[in-house]
C-alpha cells in the first residue's frame, strides 16, 4: 500500500469517526460543549496576545518619550492604577469564564448520563474481549436473546442503553458520533446510552490500550430505520439455516468435526461455545476480526487458516485444513446469513 493510499484511508476513517459530526443527542451535547470551550479559549488566546502586543507597544513608546532611565522602584500613579484595574478585570473575567465552563460541563454530564436515557430505551449488553466486541440484546424470554459480534445494530430515533463490562482487561467503548468514551472494567458494570437520529454506519474504537491488538479492536454501529432493524433482529433470533448444497452440507460436517465448536456457537447445531464470537449469522457481517478485514471469501479463508499472521496475539489458533475441506467450510460459513 502506498503512502498516499494509506493517508487517504486514514482521512476517510477520521471523517467517519469524529466527535465533531454528532448524529444523536448525547454527541450533540458533547459537541456543543466542545465548541463553547473552543470559542471561549480562542477568545482568551486572542485577548492575551492583544494585551501582550499592547504592553510591548506602550513600553516602546514610553522609552522613546523618556529616554532617561527612571529611578529604581519609581512608578507613575496613573500607570499603577491602570495596571491594578487591568489585573482585577482579568481576574474577574477568568472567574466568570471558569464558572460558565463549569456549569456547562456539569449540565452536559447530566444530560448524557445513563439516568437521562429515555425509559423506553433498547437494552444491549456490551462485553469487551481481547480483541473483539460482543453485543447481547436483552429479552425477558431467554430463547429470544440475540448475541452478535463487532456490529451493533440500532433503530434510528430510539435510545439504546448499553451495559458495559469486560472479560479480561480494561477496554473503552467509544463511538464519537454518538457519545463519549466509557471504560469497561473487569468485574464491574458501567452504563451509558447512545442514539442515532439518522441512518448510517458509525465507526467505533476501543479507546483504552488493552494489549497487542488494541488498534484492531474496532466496531461499527449500524443505525437502521425501525422497520429494518426489527427485521434484522427477527432474523438474528432464527437458528442457522440448514445447508442447502452438498458442498455446504459437507462444510457443516467439517465445522462440527474440527476445533471450531470449542470456541464458537452456531444456533441450531451442537456448537454452543461462548469463548469466541457467535457465528450463527456470520456471513451477514461486514467485517472480520473486529474491523480488521472486509468479510469476503478470500479474507475468511486466510483468517481460518492462519489468523496469527493477520492479527498476531489473538486467541484464535490456526486451523489446518485440506483445500477440499476449506472449500466446503467456506461454502457452509457463507450460507450463515
Amino acid at each position: 500500500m502506498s503512502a498516499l493510499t494509506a493517508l487517504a484511508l486514514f482521512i476517510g476513517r477520521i471523517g467517519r469517526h469524529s466527535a465533531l459530526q454528532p448524529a444523536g443527542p448525547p454527541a450533540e451535547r458533547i459537541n456543543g460543549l466542545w465548541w463553547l470551550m473552543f470559542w471561549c479559549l480562542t477568545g482568551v488566546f486572542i485577548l492575551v496576545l492583544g494585551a501582550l502586543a499592547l504592553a510591548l507597544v506602550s513600553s516602546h513608546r514610553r522609552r522613546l518619550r523618556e529616554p532617561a532611565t527612571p529611578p529604581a522602584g519609581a512608578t507613575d500613579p496613573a500607570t499603577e492604577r491602570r495596571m491594578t484595574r487591568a489585573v482585577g478585570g482579568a481576574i474577574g473575567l477568568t472567574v466568570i469564564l471558569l464558572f460558565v465552563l463549569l456549569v456547562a460541563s456539569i449540565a452536559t454530564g447530566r444530560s448524557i448520563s445513563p439516568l437521562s436515557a429515555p425509559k423506553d430505551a433498547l437494552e444491549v449488553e456490551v462485553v469487551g474481549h481481547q480483541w473483539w466486541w460482543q453485543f447481547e440484546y436483552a429479552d425477558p424470554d431467554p430463547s429470544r436473546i440475540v448475541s452478535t459480534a463487532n456490529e451493533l445494530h440500532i433503530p434510528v430515533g430510539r435510545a439504546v442503553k448499553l451495559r458495559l463490562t469486560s472479560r479480561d482487561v480494561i477496554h473503552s467503548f467509544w463511538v464519537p458520533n454518538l457519545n463519549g468514551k466509557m471504560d469497561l472494567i473487569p468485574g464491574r458494570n458501567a452504563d451509558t446510552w447512545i442514539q442515532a437520529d439518522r441512518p448510517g454506519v458509525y465507526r467505533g474504537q476501543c479507546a483504552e490500550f488493552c494489549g497487542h491488538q488494541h488498534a484492531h479492536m474496532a466496531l461499527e454501529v449500524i443505525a437502521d430505520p425501525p422497520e429494518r432493524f426489527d427485521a434484522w433482529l427477527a432474523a438474528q433470533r432464527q437458528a442457522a439455516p440448514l445447508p442447502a448444497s452438498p458442498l455446504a452440507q459437507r462444510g457443516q460436517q467439517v465445522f462440527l468435526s474440527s476445533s471450531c465448536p470449542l470456541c464458537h456457537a452456531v444456533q441450531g447445531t451442537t456448537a454452543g461455545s461462548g469463548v469466541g464470537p457467535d457465528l450463527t449469522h456470520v456471513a451477514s457481517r461486514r467485517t472480520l476480526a473486529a474491523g480488521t478485514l472486509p468479510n469476503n471469501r478470500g479474507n475468511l479463508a486466510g483468517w481460518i487458516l492462519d489468523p496469527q499472521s493477520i492479527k498476531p496475539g489473538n486467541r484464535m489458533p490456526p486451523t489446518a485444513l485440506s483445500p477440499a475441506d476449506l472449500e466446503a467450510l467456506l461454502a457452509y460459513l457463507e450460507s450463515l446469513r
Side-chain angles (χ1 to χ4, degrees), residues 73-257:
T75 305
D76 178 49
T79 301
E80 185 171 356
R81 286 193 296 270
R82 287 196 301 270
M83 292 175 61
T84 301
R85 287 195 296 268
V87 171
I91 292 174
L93 183 61
T94 300
V95 170
I96 293 172
L97 179 60
L98 291 177
F99 184 75
V100 168
L101 295 180
L102 174 64
V103 171
S105 180
I106 292 174
T108 300
R110 288 183 174 178
S111 68
I112 66 175
S113 74
L115 297 177
S116 66
K119 300 299 182 184
D120 64 341
L122 176 69
E123 294 189 9
V124 180
E125 182 179 1
V126 180
V127 182
H129 302 266
Q130 288 181 309
W131 290 272
W132 60 283
W133 300 94
Q134 180 181 0
F135 302 114
E136 190 170 278
Y137 292 75
D139 195 282
D141 182 355
S143 66
R144 292 169 56 84
I145 293 176
V146 168
S147 180
T148 185
N150 303 319
E151 289 184 5
L152 176 60
H153 286 251
I154 64 174
V156 171
R158 183 180 177 187
V160 180
K161 188 174 182 180
L162 305 177
R163 171 152 291 190
L164 311 169
T165 191
S166 171
R167 287 287 185 268
D168 34 55
V169 300
I170 298 176
H171 301 283
S172 187
F173 182 87
W174 187 34
V175 184
N177 304 89
L178 302 178
N179 205 335
K181 303 173 185 177
M182 181 64 70
D183 285 348
L184 291 73
I185 301 176
R188 297 182 60 183
N189 289 327
D191 293 336
T192 188
W193 69 286
I194 60 175
Q195 179 177 321
D197 288 338
R198 59 178 181 270
V201 178
Y202 304 100
R203 178 180 166 83
Q205 180 69 41
C206 178
E208 182 77 26
F209 181 74
C210 55
H212 185 50
Q213 288 297 330
H214 160 69
H216 288 153
M217 189 173 172
L219 67 132
E220 289 184 335
V221 177
I222 301 173
D224 291 322
E227 61 278 3
R228 185 180 300 177
F229 170 78
D230 291 340
W232 174 87
L233 190 60
Q236 294 292 309
R237 289 185 174 129
Q238 303 299 315
L242 294 175
S245 67
L247 185 62
Q249 291 170 4
R250 183 187 170 197
Q252 185 184 52
Q253 295 174 356
V254 172
F255 177 86
L256 295 175
S257 61

Side-chain angles (χ1 to χ4, degrees), residues 32-50 90 93-102 104-105:
L33 178 64
W34 190 92
W35 281 111
L36 174 64
M37 290 185 171
F38 174 82
W39 288 117
C40 286
L41 298 181
T42 298
V44 169
F45 180 71
I46 293 173
L47 287 175
V48 169
L49 290 184
L93 183 61
T94 300
V95 170
I96 293 172
L97 179 60
L98 291 177
F99 184 75
V100 168
L101 295 180
L102 174 64
S105 180

